Amino acid sequence: MLQQIARYFAFFFFFLLAYAEQAQAQMIPVNHPRNQQKRYEIDAKRMGTDFNSNDALPRSREFIRTDSSYYVGWMYEGMYKVNHAADFLGYKNAILPLKKALDQLERDYTRQLRVRSADLMTYYPAYRFQMDYSIIAYNLMDCYNNVEQPQDAFNVIRKALRWNFQNEGFLQAYNYLAWTVHRNRFYTTAKFPFLRNSIVLNEQLANRYLDSAFRKIRIDKQLNAAFFPGYEDAARQGVYHYKAILYSYALNIDSAARYYNLMKETPIFSHNNYATFLAICGNFRQAEKEYEIASTQDAGDKRLQEWAYYSSILNIYKANPKKGIQDMKDMIKAVGSTPGFGWYNIALARCCAYYGDIGESERYIKKAEAFKEVHIGTTLGQSHYDFSINLVKLMNNIGRLQQIKFENRGWWYTPSDVAGVAEQSGSKYLLQYLIVNQFAMNPERDLVIYRLFSTESTVTWDEIWYLMRDFSTNFFTQRFQSELKDDQRKLIRKYFKLYIARLQMKKGNYKEAQQVLYDILNHERTDLEYEKLFVARTYGALAECAQKRKNTSEYNESLYSFYTNFPQLLPYSDLQPNLRLQVIGAADAKLVDRLKRCNINWVTSGKVLAPEVTLRFGSSGNKKTVTYYVLDRNGKEIVSRETYTYTKSEEAGLLLAYRLFNIDRKGSTEKK
């Protein structure tokens, strides 16, 4: 976000800065306080080298050799290091030259920094120094934030604010004061003196800073009107950007939408932020389109591309985790071990978990856990990162437990499986206990976790259930009933209802839960393409209610709908899937036997609604083959036709059991 705002103002002021330097070079000589001849020489050479270019480093060394007391050489060195930084150490190394440049600029050019004037000839000699100051201070602030030193970042902004520039250039001081407070809102004065002692008070403080930004823009307008046409409109757009962020976080939907509408059709409009806003309002279809635009808007930045991370979550909502897997692999390949690498591995691990490949999910989540992520240009921090990792680990732990039960329908008669279930259950409770303790210390749980959808949430709404499913049912029931009553987002209400139904089921109130679930299906608006995960979970809950109430026909109908919406979820549920089997050719008895030992109910009656599985056996040289596919009741393929060659029948039977649910687990069986 910071980079986007700065880039906008850089574009807006670039031609003015170039004109100012030309004017100074040709008409208005700078009165340097010392080493005038050397500084004139540096100024002349500076005209031919952009401080953002690769030549900035050799130029910086030349400038420092010529006059090490002149800020320009240190500025060029700092900017080069910022532009080439990709980790904690890189940004740390950029701080020293930037700080030195800022100190020298303040020491030697105090008079120019204090200039405020509506007279062009009075203002322009000072303009270059004020713009240089804003560039240096902005990047120094950014470096401090990137190495998690927000108090130092705040101090830089306050120092810049004291100069009261009429044109703030890169560093829109009040905006960044607001952003710095919002980014650290969950801390208190005890940790950082610039904060207040609660999230509510910190958000109020951030809003006051933005109100001050509006006031300063109005005051500066009188001075800037003559030679900065459009300055007021451009500066106000920056404030709108941060107002939209704060109101979105507070779920003040109308106000957030108002500020986003004020920014539309302007270069500052953040399609990424707007997409996230649409997503928390339940408009996933439009959110996906905005993330696609953001992918072109933010391309090339060395930081987390939020559009990519959150698009992977939308793919899960659409029951297409396979696309999310490929997209995240492409991102990881493109960025390497730069900021965002850890987040993409979390997203990849999550997609693998929803795809049913627990082994791959565990592999990628370990990579994320081992990576030292740098949280650049985002309000998402280490606490969000750790929480996301732990929830994926919990999902995988529960997935391992369910795998044992799925792969052997009589697991309780097998000592090794009983031991495995006990081990995974123990690990699950330990991990839940760890997460809940962290969760209890998280002051954002009311604003982010319980609301299921939030701009600061980095997990799916569905993952939250893995956390709370075994804890304090009465507390969570009351909590979600309160959210259902107070939340303004019409498209999100059904998610609270689903949680309330699930909690009623935990208490054994299956009739009450069933009524809530039917109310969801009959009265709530649902996008059947973009909310397949929600639909599947709703039918899964209905199937459980029907099972408990011994309503067989309703159970079969709900189970079928669960399968057709998101088949990968079924082997990891507590439900036994219904499938109907047709074998063509000479069956491999060992393969079929292994398949039937899995927790699948192979129905024979034509009256039972169930997907139709077809297996066609054959051979290819010395190897055996099996072609399989699954059809719905209308003859449409749910699982596409595939042929596998194999040598080990039992291994192939187990792999095939998962493939019937569209889960392609990594294994030794070879795809043809």
Side-chain angles (χ1 to χ4, degrees), residues 184-201:
N184 297 279
R185 63 199 169 273
F186 33 76
Y187 298 119
T188 66
T189 303
K191 188 171 181 67
F192 300 120
F194 68 87
L195 293 173
R196 301 297 181 262
N197 286 321
S198 71
I199 291 177
V200 171
L201 293 176

Side-chain angles (χ1 to χ4, degrees), residues 435-481:
I435 299 173
V436 166
N437 278 335
Q438 292 175 338
F439 183 67
M441 301 298 292
N442 184 351
E444 281 198 298
R445 59 187 179 275
D446 289 336
L447 293 168
V448 175
I449 306 302
Y450 293 145
R451 290 186 173 178
L452 300 184
F453 293 90
S454 165
T455 56
E456 302 303 312
S457 177
T458 55
V459 301
T460 68
W461 61 268
D462 188 58
E463 288 169 81
I464 303 300
W465 181 251
Y466 288 86
L467 173 63
M468 63 179 58
R469 56 191 281 173
D470 296 317
F471 294 97
S472 191
T473 302
N474 288 330
F475 169 80
F476 286 121
T477 299
Q478 293 173 4
R479 182 73 215 194
F480 285 114
Q481 285 174 339

